[in-house]
Amino acid sequence: MFKTPLRSFSVAAKQSLKIGLIPADGIGKEVIPAAKAAIIALGSDIPKPEFIDLVAGWETFTRTGVALPDETVEILRNECDCALFGSVSSPSRKVVGYSSPIVALRKKLDLYANIRPVVSVAPEVDQKPAVDLIVVRENTECLYVKEETLIDTPNGKEARASRLITERASRRIGQMAFQLANARPRKHLTIIHKSNVLSVTDGLFRETVRGIKSLPANDGKFNGVTIAEQLVDSAVYRLFREPEIFDVMVAPNLYGDIISDAAAALVGSLGLIPSINAGDNFVMGEPVHGSAPDIEGKGIANPLASIRSAALMLRHLGYTEGADRLDLAVNQVIREGRFLTPDLKGTSTTEEVLQAVLSKI
């Protein structure tokens, strides 16, 4: 993962750290409390945490007619230093008035970077992990601008979706990806695209990211970073065949979403993969897994991704010692293998795994 903060947001001198909690739907209501407990267990390694409970999601929409209340956004903007988000149960069909609150939050708070480390836990502490990569996903545009039309034609219905790629967004995510790559031992960055087919949109993304190195503002600071390119379809193939070739991968929104979910299979479960949604003024941790309605309420959801997301969030804010303690505790629990949830072929409950992590912190 990354070991140094990318931005600090000037929170280090605070007497308390105000953290918004948005469990949202499904197992989010089970794993976000686990992340909260892990943060509390850090004690003096971080300022006294104050948690603010907030709502968003499909269940909120069915209850109130609004998936992302204005109050939630305003409290995050004006009162919180950071946040943790759980999961969303978005319907697969179109529902009038509903749109994904996590997509909306990323845009409203300008959280333009979704950073998703995928790291395996080596059998021995001093061994290198077999998989150690970061997917850096542009978070605000691509097909996720949700500009779709459906019309009737003489040949039947016709659906179209508009895809947006801008130089500004590509430059911002490219800068973030270069910073991450430059801080890692290999200093290697792979640009993911499909510009052999989408020569205009992916072409702009590819050329903009490649140009980050030569920007006058960077003044040679990324000269040690090597650049590779990979078409998105072959990137997925090579992830499974030879994951060791990847270090930091930067991709437009949709490709980054798909690649990071696929990469989770390399380390055993989506229940292990954390992420942060990061901008220049705010950061929000978010486990990569979905709302998992098939196991909701059964007490067997894996809390490790949410705890790792809390660690990523703290690291991004500059609290590296606390983040290290969370990561080390999670890794010890995985390495010992005594307390694992069913997604990792274990028989433990969410609470048993959480207690195992807390005992290691």
Side-chain angles (χ1 to χ4, degrees), residues 19-40:
I19 305 171
L21 297 180
I22 314 170
D25 302 317
I27 63 171
K29 296 190 291 293
E30 302 169 51
V31 298
I32 293 302
K36 174 183 176 180
I39 291 172
I40 292 171

Side-chain angles (χ1 to χ4, degrees), residues 289-360:
H289 61 68
S291 60
D294 57 321
I295 62 170
E296 179 184 356
K298 295 182 179 180
I300 56 172
N302 192 339
L304 297 182
S306 66
I307 296 171
R308 280 178 162 178
S309 295
L312 280 178
M313 179 186 73
L314 293 175
R315 191 181 307 283
H316 196 76
L317 293 171
Y319 300 111
T320 55
E321 291 185 7
D324 284 345
R325 287 176 64 194
L326 293 184
D327 283 334
L328 288 171
V330 168
N331 289 349
Q332 282 182 282
V333 169
I334 295 171
R335 192 173 285 118
E336 290 176 2
R338 292 179 55 208
F339 297 100
L340 300 174
T341 44
D343 59 310
L344 294 173
K345 303 187 185 307
T347 59
S348 300
T349 65
T350 306
E351 183 62 23
E352 288 170 340
V353 174
L354 170 61
Q355 292 303 318
V357 173
L358 295 180
S359 73
K360 306 291 186 185

Side-chain angles (χ1 to χ4, degrees), residues 99-117:
S99 61
S100 170
I102 185 61
V103 173
L105 266 177
R106 290 165 180 165
K107 293 176 182 177
K108 288 179 181 293
L109 299 178
D110 199 24
L111 305 177
Y112 59 85
N114 191 232
I115 301 171
R116 298 182 167 189

